[in-house]
Amino acid sequence: MALSTSMEKAMNDQINAEFESAYLYLGMAAWLESANFPGFAQWMRAQAQEETEHAMKFFEHIVERGGTPTLTAIKAPPKSWQSPLAAFQASYKHEQYISGRINKLMDMAVKAKDYASQSLLQWFIDEQVEEEASVDEIVQKLKMVKGSAGSLLMFDHKLGKRGKE
Ligand code: OFO
């Protein structure tokens, strides 16, 4: 079954949203590097990479269903944040926004009885649960280590192992 025009448009918008996420996290990586938190920066780099993979999942789905991926301008991310905690809090908020978008796409797919899109979107729904949980865990830990430079640096070192194990 070919992708409906409205679903094709909505998924193209989601390609943009996923690349916007990648750009946001790459922006956070750049700032965290400049603020001397190479571990947190590495975590954000890996996150940006995952977001690019998410965008490509929508890209391939559109192609496989006979549609045309349409790429549009990506919003520039902020250049700095108050602290690593502020950056991860912004990331958590952003993931909640993305989860809301994925849920809306699922609503559309259900209404249209588009089972192939529902299958793809179910993967994203599960992925969003994980994304929100992992960022929230980091936020909570950053709150705990607040005020202790030594603990903060140890945590930075720990998160820097992401993608390297
Ligand atoms: Fe693509 O999951 Fe985050 O934004």
Side-chain angles (χ1 to χ4, degrees), residues 14 17-18 21-22 25 47 50-51 54-55 94-95 98-99 102 124 127-128 131:
Q14 191 60 26
E18 298 289 346
S21 303
Y25 298 144
Q47 192 63 21
E50 269 196 16
E51 297 301 350
H54 292 172
H94 183 76
E95 286 308 320
I98 293 291
S99 298
I102 297 288
F124 275 96
E127 174 74 4
Q128 283 308 121
E131 297 245 309

Side-chain angles (χ1 to χ4, degrees), residues 85 92 135-145 155:
L85 174 60
Y92 181 62
V135 181
D136 186 45
E137 191 186 323
I138 294 170
V139 167
Q140 297 315 320
K141 285 191 177 147
L142 282 171
K143 282 183 183 167
M144 274 185 236
V145 303
F155 192 37

